Amino acid sequence: MSELSANKTINPFEVALKQLEESSKLIDLDEGIHKILAHPKRVLTVSIPVRMDNNKIHVFTGFRSQHNDARGPFKGGIRYHPQVSVEEVKALSMWMTWKCAIADIPYGGGKGGIICNPKEMSEGELERMTRRYAYSISDIIGPHTDIPAPDVYTGGKEMSWIMDTYSALKGNFVQPELITGKPIAIGGSLGRNEATGRGLSFTVREAANRLKINMKTSTVAVQGFGNAGQFAAQLVEEQGAKIIAASDSKGGIYNKNGLQIGSLRKYKEKNGFLDGYPGAKSISNEELLETDCTLLIPAALESQITKKNAEKINAKVIAEAANGPTTPEADEILYKKEILVIPDVLANGGGVTVSYFEWLQNLRREYWTEDDVNERLDRNITKAFADVYQTHEKYRVNMRKASILLAVLRVSEAIKIRGLWP
Ligand code: GLU
């Protein structure tokens, strides 16, 4: 199959634990709190029997990992992918805890997933699988306990089915505040769809200011052309940068004179893939990562930049739209090469930040304008970037260690204040 795969030899949860350990050391974190943070509070595995279109029953496996809720309800997306694993959702739920703490929004971290290939399923099969999964996790999610959202290969459609199923099961009244990333018609927020990319573009603007990089003469390579990658590329293009390389699960394209995101998107919509885009040279996903450019945006899956290719990265700044694209060994190499990595937990925090705005609007039965959403997002991300950058300078560590360190400080303070029960 041609999916852009996560690197299967690397266990993402081990990566997450290593990151936690490194940051904890720097602040001499209490051993007990470290232990609490090293274990997700709850991990649920569910079997999801679905009647397929051929009338046979297929049993899918799904997960929901709830890492920590010291600062607020668990929050995080649900991904559909053939390679989802329990270790992956555990790691992703821990990263959500850090992400929400860095963005300083009142949530903890969660993540879910179903092992499936949505590209090979009919609409009916997807709906039945999604509703059965929603039912299976319905006792541990809720508007004030765990609020799911979209992630890899899920979107408004799946969120609507989950909201509808949950609402029917729990009192049979509409509960939009259960889930975020919904279509506008049922309580979604303006600006949510572009939020991950927009937030990332704000962090890039802030990094460029600090490093005195001129966006108008900058070049960009983007790995992955899903929701986050597309909008991130479009919004840095709007800042004046030139996109010279882009890729999707089938491979990449390169043109040193620049690719127009608008026409690239139309091409992909029509043809399904970027490959074959007129005037561009075909490159592999590996070559894309090594493109000589100012800004590299990994926007696909985990463990793409590893000790094997980190030395060959030719960017000044890496802004991680994907979750977990860089391994700890690669982080060390990039730091030595003086490449500034804006880590996932900061760079892609715009998505969950606007999810928070969506939830607030739902709870208050309000509708905010798109300008209002984008301005609040800008303020929030700019503050988060400044907090992390300051920590990075103070502790003289890379931006990832600084981000996680800051998050661990915030989460551990909440744990200490609340105390251990009983
Ligand atoms: N799945 C997204 C992430 O990894 C969004 C999560 C959310 O909005 O809750 O940040």
Side-chain angles (χ1 to χ4, degrees), residues 123-141:
E123 182 92 353
E125 290 170 340
L126 268 179
E127 177 169 358
R128 293 193 291 280
M129 180 185 78
T130 304
R131 287 186 182 275
R132 182 68 189 223
Y133 172 71
Y135 155 77
S136 304
I137 63 166
S138 61
D139 283 339
I140 65 161
I141 59 170

Side-chain angles (χ1 to χ4, degrees), residues 76-352:
I78 295 168
R79 63 172 56 182
Y80 289 179
H81 197 275
Q83 289 170 354
V84 172
S85 68
V86 69
E87 294 297 287
E88 184 187 26
V89 293
K90 277 161 65 183
L92 289 160
S93 68
M94 189 189 287
W95 291 331
M96 284 308 301
T97 303
W98 309 150
K99 199 182 293 184
C100 294
I102 293 159
D104 211 1
I105 53 179
Y107 291 134
K111 189 73 107 195
I114 305 180
I115 307 172
C116 66
N117 188 351
K119 289 186 178 174
E120 288 172 359
M121 292 169 71
S122 71
E123 182 92 353
E125 290 170 340
L126 268 179
E127 177 169 358
R128 293 193 291 280
M129 180 185 78
T130 304
R131 287 186 182 275
R132 182 68 189 223
Y133 172 71
Y135 155 77
S136 304
I137 63 166
S138 61
D139 283 339
I140 65 161
I141 59 170
H144 298 286
T145 48
D146 182 351
I147 303 130
D151 198 82
V152 174
Y153 294 145
T154 59
K157 194 170 67 178
E158 290 77 14
M159 301 307 109
S160 311
W161 290 328
I162 296 173
M163 185 198 87
D164 186 69
T165 306
Y166 183 91
S167 297
L169 288 169
K170 305 278 175 178
N172 205 15
F173 62 98
V174 63
Q175 298 182 57
E177 54 275 26
L178 166 77
I179 198 160
T180 60
K182 299 179 294 294
I184 306 292
I186 56 164
S189 176
L190 292 169
R192 174 63 185 85
N193 208 23
E194 305 82 11
T196 308
R198 190 175 299 277
L200 183 136
S201 75
F202 293 149
T203 65
V204 168
R205 180 194 65 201
E206 294 304 304
N209 280 342
R210 304 289 198 290
L211 303 181
K212 312 258 176 300
I213 290 174
N214 181 356
M215 288 305 288
K216 303 224 160 35
T217 54
S218 293
T219 52
V220 183
V222 52
Q223 186 207 35
F225 211 66
N227 176 289
Q230 275 184 37
F231 287 114
Q234 181 190 321
L235 291 155
V236 292
E237 188 181 69
E238 281 174 21
Q239 288 176 24
K242 189 160 71 180
I243 315 297
I244 55 168
S247 70
D248 58 26
S249 58
K250 205 174 166 194
I253 52 171
Y254 174 86
N255 184 343
K256 71 172 183 346
N257 299 319
L259 303 157
Q260 299 294 319
I261 289 299
S263 89
L264 220 55
R265 185 179 288 142
K266 279 194 202 118
Y267 182 86
K268 176 152 170 118
E269 258 164 37
K270 193 162 155 237
N271 300 283
F273 296 102
L274 294 171
D275 195 33
Y277 182 74
K281 183 176 113 190
S282 288
I283 55 170
S284 67
N285 262 298
E286 290 72 32
E287 285 167 328
L288 181 131
L289 293 172
E290 295 161 17
T291 303
D292 193 351
C293 59
T294 320
L295 172 67
L296 173 64
I297 307 177
L301 290 172
E302 294 92 356
S303 307
Q304 300 297 309
I305 305 175
T306 66
K307 62 178 181 215
K308 290 204 184 117
N309 61 359
E311 207 56 72
K312 298 187 216 145
I313 304 282
N314 268 312
K316 285 197 174 65
V317 176
I318 299 178
E320 297 180 337
N323 289 311
T326 311
T327 65
E329 293 88 353
D331 264 332
E332 295 303 324
I333 299 169
L334 298 172
Y335 191 54
K336 285 204 191 98
K337 281 172 67 98
E338 293 184 13
I339 296 173
L340 186 87
V341 178
I342 312 173
D344 45 9
V345 286
L346 173 63
N348 72 32
V352 72

Side-chain angles (χ1 to χ4, degrees), residues 357 368 371-381:
F357 299 158
W368 300 358
D371 282 348
D372 203 6
V373 168
N374 292 345
E375 275 160 31
R376 285 179 197 235
L377 174 64
D378 194 351
R379 274 203 298 278
N380 195 301
I381 295 285

